[in-house]
Amino acid sequence: MIAFPACKINIGLQLTERRADGFHNLLSAFYPVGWSDALEIIPAPVFGFSTSGLPIPGRPGTLGDTPENNLCVRAYELLRADHDLPPVQMHLHKVVPIGAGLGGGSADAATTINLLDTAFKLNLAVDQREAYARKLGSDCAFFIQNKPQYCTEKGDVFEEIDLDLTGYYIQLVYPNLAISTAEAYAGVTPKQPTVPLRTLLEAPIEGWRGRVHNDFEDSLFPKYPVLADIKQQLYNTGAIYASMSGSGSTVYGIFSAPPERSDIFSRYTVWNDKL
């Protein structure tokens, strides 16, 4: 079986408090976009995992990009501990940039859970698959359903939200700069918002600029001025709304019409699509 794990953007991100477990509570709307990796899982005599495309660094504190470090492998092992899974061969073709605030690795992990559930008829309910995904990372559970959600706590508790950007166009600009989650969180000062994000998102998209804010921009824009420059360039080229996604470093713009072709982002990795 083959699937195409797609990434997400954050529309607004309010960091509200530091938790006792060292994580942060937040408010954010997660919205799926079509930029995707490719993941194939087939039965095999012995377990195997391979990758192609973008290189995948190892987790902090590990020896690098070894199979046991990959979220897809960890997802397989997590399910295998509770279910009679046979060996499989997994191949991940990596396209979505890493350290880009798009949740690409989390999408790969969640897609692994969904594929294994389907392939081997585990018949896991959505909440069961989300529970497995939460053990792998804060963003992972979102990608089990991969639909617009209002996210709270660590970003892994979901509320329905009436948020539909169908018909708009999006441009994602990745400045070939990876920002680790640890680096991003090191610079933030959580605070309770004056107006909760859900209230701000009730306004039409034309009213989001200057109000729907990603709190990571406060510390990362001064450190990496290129991010602020990209955001301004997106507005200059007609974006209705622009923001950094997640903990960076991708900056996106939402447009009412296809963005005009230009060479202003020619040094970067750019992805365009209709939402």
Side-chain angles (χ1 to χ4, degrees):
M1 300 182 71
I2 189 167
F4 300 92
C7 62
K8 57 82 182 164
I9 56 170
N10 293 76
I11 303 177
L13 199 161
Q14 296 174 335
L15 293 158
T16 60
E17 61 184 341
R18 185 175 175 86
R19 298 160 52 104
D21 60 9
F23 290 91
H24 287 76
N25 283 334
L26 58 84
L27 303 173
S28 185
F30 287 13
Y31 201 94
V33 295
W35 199 0
S36 64
D37 297 331
L39 176 65
E40 183 181 43
I41 301 179
I42 57 175
V46 295
F47 179 83
F49 176 75
S50 58
T51 65
S52 56
L54 296 175
I56 304 171
R59 289 181 292 152
T62 72
L63 296 178
D65 179 22
T66 57
E68 61 269 21
N69 294 335
N70 190 274
L71 280 171
C72 296
V73 178
R74 291 167 60 199
Y76 170 81
E77 294 293 348
L78 194 62
L79 286 182
R80 192 170 71 94
D82 293 338
H83 303 277
D84 185 22
L85 291 183
V88 297
Q89 174 65 45
M90 307 170 68
H91 183 81
L92 174 64
H93 181 67
K94 193 68 184 164
V95 176
V96 177
I98 296 162
L102 300 173
S106 298
D108 297 336
T111 301
T112 300
I113 293 171
N114 284 340
L115 277 180
L116 292 171
D117 177 61
T118 300
F120 300 110
K121 298 180 174 57
L122 303 181
N123 298 317
L124 298 173
V126 168
D127 60 344
Q128 291 177 294
R129 284 178 276 140
E130 289 180 345
Y132 279 115
R134 285 186 182 94
K135 297 178 181 180
L136 298 168
S138 297
D139 287 353
C140 291
F142 165 77
F143 292 101
I144 293 295
Q145 297 189 72
N146 201 34
K147 66 178 185 179
Q149 300 267 27
Y150 188 69
C151 303
T152 66
E153 297 195 18
K154 294 188 297 181
D156 60 353
V157 175
F158 312 123
E159 301 173 9
E160 296 292 327
I161 186 169
D162 183 16
L163 183 60
D164 185 1
L165 298 177
T166 302
Y168 288 96
Y169 296 81
I170 190 167
Q171 184 172 66
L172 290 88
V173 182
Y174 173 67
N176 304 320
L177 165 69
I179 298 176
S180 71
T181 303
E183 177 186 5
Y185 274 96
V188 302
T189 303
K191 59 184 181 300
Q192 292 297 321
T194 304
V195 182
L197 179 62
R198 179 182 278 277
T199 302
L200 297 175
L201 291 175
E202 291 173 354
I205 187 174
E206 291 80 7
W208 291 359
R209 182 174 180 175
R211 302 194 69 208
V212 176
H213 180 66
N214 181 336
D215 286 352
F216 283 110
E217 293 182 5
D218 297 338
S219 58
L220 292 177
F221 276 19
K223 187 174 183 179
Y224 300 107
V226 64
L227 303 178
D229 180 64
I230 291 171
K231 182 176 178 177
Q232 186 58 52
Q233 291 284 6
L234 287 166
Y235 277 128
N236 291 347
T237 55
I240 304 170
Y241 175 72
S243 175
M244 188 175 73
S245 183
S247 56
S249 59
T250 299
V251 183
Y252 66 87
I254 299 174
F255 299 77
S256 59
E260 294 183 7
R261 293 183 177 273
S262 84
D263 60 358
I264 58 173
F265 301 131
S266 59
R267 294 175 296 163
Y268 307 137
T269 303
V270 179
W271 186 87
N272 298 276
D273 199 15
K274 188 174 184 179
L275 291 168

